[in-house]
Amino acid sequence: MTSSDLYPVSRLAAVQEATAKAGLDALLLTPGPDLRYVSGYDAKPLERLTCLVVPASGESYMMVPRLELPAAEASPASRLGLEFVAWDETDDPYEIAAKRLGQVAKVGLADRMWAMASLRFRAVLPEAEQVLAGTVLRELRMRKSAVEVAALREAGEAIDSVHRRVPELLRAGRTEREVGRDIAEAILAAGHSTVDFVIVASGPNGASPHHDVSDRVIQPGEPVVVDIGGQLHNGYCSDSTRTYSVGEPPAEFASYYEVLRQAQEAACAAVRPGVPCESIDAAARDLIAEAGYGEYFVHRTGHGIGIETHEEPYIVSGNAEPMEPGFAFSVEPGIYLPGRHGARIEDIVVCTESGGERLNNTPRELVII
């Protein structure tokens, strides 16, 4: 697939239409996932302003520091027919953008816009209400196209290839950091352009869902949670968790791991159009609670994924939004016993017309090394 497939020219028009429908006068998109989603331009976040201005009507344009103009013109954004408004070091790009916008009452700012930029826009557009651009873009970003799903499938296959290598890297006597370093190298070798995170959580560290790596030495008989992901060159992300055991695990762990496996299976099986997002969470959570481990499942069941590892929709109690074809998200229940050990199983799943498709396909049974 090419950048023109993943970042089609038609997307800008769809965003402009959605902006008008939402009652906004314009979107102001600075470097980050919102800008990349709309234009394909993975701009560097700098103190110098780069900003795609998408008015509700009229022509869109991109404010670009003159020294960044060649990069902008070489990016997929050049296909959009945009005017690149290059500004010089002695210019005030915020004033230039405000003058071109004219009288506006409500603007959407990129969700990841730096406070420095948002405050400068407030100063030059004092009468304009500022809201998050995500209120407009979420409806588009949540519904992945077939090409986007293919990109996520490619990312899933890449991270699966890394998990297949984990058993040769995990050994008693090695530190989490040593294993994590090898995994990071494997993530890049598998085709990722960046390593976004590597969690190697052994023994009691496995009870901390967002543990990173440490100098702790992995011991025989310990479970190890390995949660890894990165971004491919095309901007789409991978994320998958498997739990391993270096030798035979404690009997208590083996018992609740089977509960977890069944809960993850139940949640994946519950995916289909029309089902509320919170029902996917409940499918896993109810089984874990019935087995007596409810208090040890301390986070939501999943998060959306695309050009960000965490984006909408969120698979959590209270989110009654119905599933639609094209929703892509993680299903990752966990059980964490403080001071002892923990486990998590995570797959990326896409809602299809008839159910759900898992994009990760390594074994979910406990892998004993």
Side-chain angles (χ1 to χ4, degrees):
M1 68 194 73
T2 66
S3 61
S4 60
D5 297 321
L6 280 169
Y7 303 100
V9 171
S10 59
R11 185 171 288 165
L12 181 59
V15 169
Q16 189 169 43
E17 181 181 350
T19 300
K21 186 177 180 181
L24 276 64
D25 294 302
L27 294 188
L28 306 175
L29 306 181
T30 48
D34 288 335
L35 174 63
R36 188 169 191 180
Y37 176 77
V38 176
S39 71
Y41 182 26
D42 187 21
K44 295 178 181 178
L46 301 169
E47 75 280 5
R48 296 179 176 94
L49 178 70
T50 292
C51 182
L52 174 62
V53 180
V54 184
S57 61
E59 297 298 320
S60 299
Y61 56 93
M62 189 177 294
M63 304 291 305
V64 184
R66 190 168 298 281
L67 75 170
E68 295 294 317
L69 183 59
E73 291 178 332
S75 79
S78 63
R79 298 179 294 104
L80 302 180
L82 292 169
E83 178 187 1
F84 290 104
V85 181
W87 59 273
D88 296 305
E89 295 287 69
T90 56
D91 294 332
D92 184 338
Y94 299 91
E95 289 284 2
I96 294 172
K99 185 176 180 179
R100 290 180 66 113
L101 275 170
Q103 189 73 23
V104 290
K106 191 173 184 179
V107 295
L109 306 186
D111 286 15
R112 302 289 183 267
M113 182 180 287
W114 287 356
M116 176 184 74
S118 67
L119 291 174
R120 291 289 301 279
F121 274 122
R122 177 167 292 171
V124 298
L125 299 169
E127 304 301 320
E129 178 186 356
Q130 294 182 344
V131 300
L132 291 175
T135 59
V136 173
L137 296 178
R138 71 180 298 274
E139 298 297 325
L140 298 170
R141 287 183 57 180
M142 278 199 306
R143 296 166 179 82
K144 269 61 179 185
S145 67
V147 177
E148 289 180 283
V149 171
L152 288 170
R153 189 178 293 112
E154 179 184 351
E157 291 168 354
I159 209 67
D160 280 358
S161 73
V162 179
H163 269 297
R164 293 188 189 99
R165 290 193 56 194
V166 168
E168 71 189 58
L169 305 175
L170 269 180
R171 292 287 184 273
R174 302 195 76 195
T175 67
E176 294 174 349
R177 195 177 310 280
E178 289 170 336
V179 175
R181 180 194 61 218
D182 291 345
I183 290 175
E185 291 177 356
I187 290 173
L188 294 175
H192 294 80
S193 60
T194 64
V195 178
D196 289 350
F197 54 92
V198 175
I199 294 173
V200 180
S202 63
N205 288 341
S208 174
H210 276 181
H211 178 73
D212 190 357
V213 296
S214 74
D215 292 320
R216 185 181 185 279
V217 177
I218 300 167
Q219 302 297 315
E222 285 188 336
V224 183
V225 179
V226 177
D227 185 353
I228 53 179
Q231 190 175 69
L232 298 188
H233 65 281
N234 58 28
Y236 283 74
C237 298
S238 67
D239 185 4
S240 179
T241 309
R242 293 293 184 261
T243 302
Y244 304 84
S245 183
V246 182
E248 287 296 328
E252 174 190 39
F253 174 86
S255 176
Y256 76 71
Y257 185 86
E258 180 56 23
V259 171
L260 180 65
R261 190 192 65 76
Q262 292 178 13
Q264 204 261 355
E265 184 71 29
C268 289
V271 175
R272 62 183 182 278
V275 171
C277 290
E278 63 183 356
S279 295
I280 311 302
D281 179 90
R285 196 170 302 277
D286 290 351
L287 273 176
I288 291 171
E290 288 168 8
Y293 295 100
E295 66 182 293
Y296 303 116
F297 180 13
V298 296
H299 56 72
R300 64 194 175 207
T301 292
H303 56 81
I305 190 169
I307 57 174
E308 290 184 276
T309 306
H310 287 195
E311 58 184 53
E312 295 193 66
Y314 293 102
I315 311 305
V316 64
S317 177
N319 183 6
E321 186 152 23
M323 284 273 151
E324 293 185 32
F327 279 17
F329 50 92
S330 67
V331 174
E332 51 177 308
I335 297 175
Y336 311 96
L337 274 57
R340 287 177 279 179
H341 32 62
R344 182 165 63 256
I345 305 170
E346 176 186 16
D347 292 321
I348 300 304
V349 178
V350 174
C351 182
T352 69
E353 295 287 346
S354 58
E357 176 193 354
R358 298 194 209 211
L359 303 187
N360 298 107
N361 294 290
T362 56
R364 297 168 193 91
E365 293 77 19
L366 182 64
V367 175
I368 299 176
I369 302 167

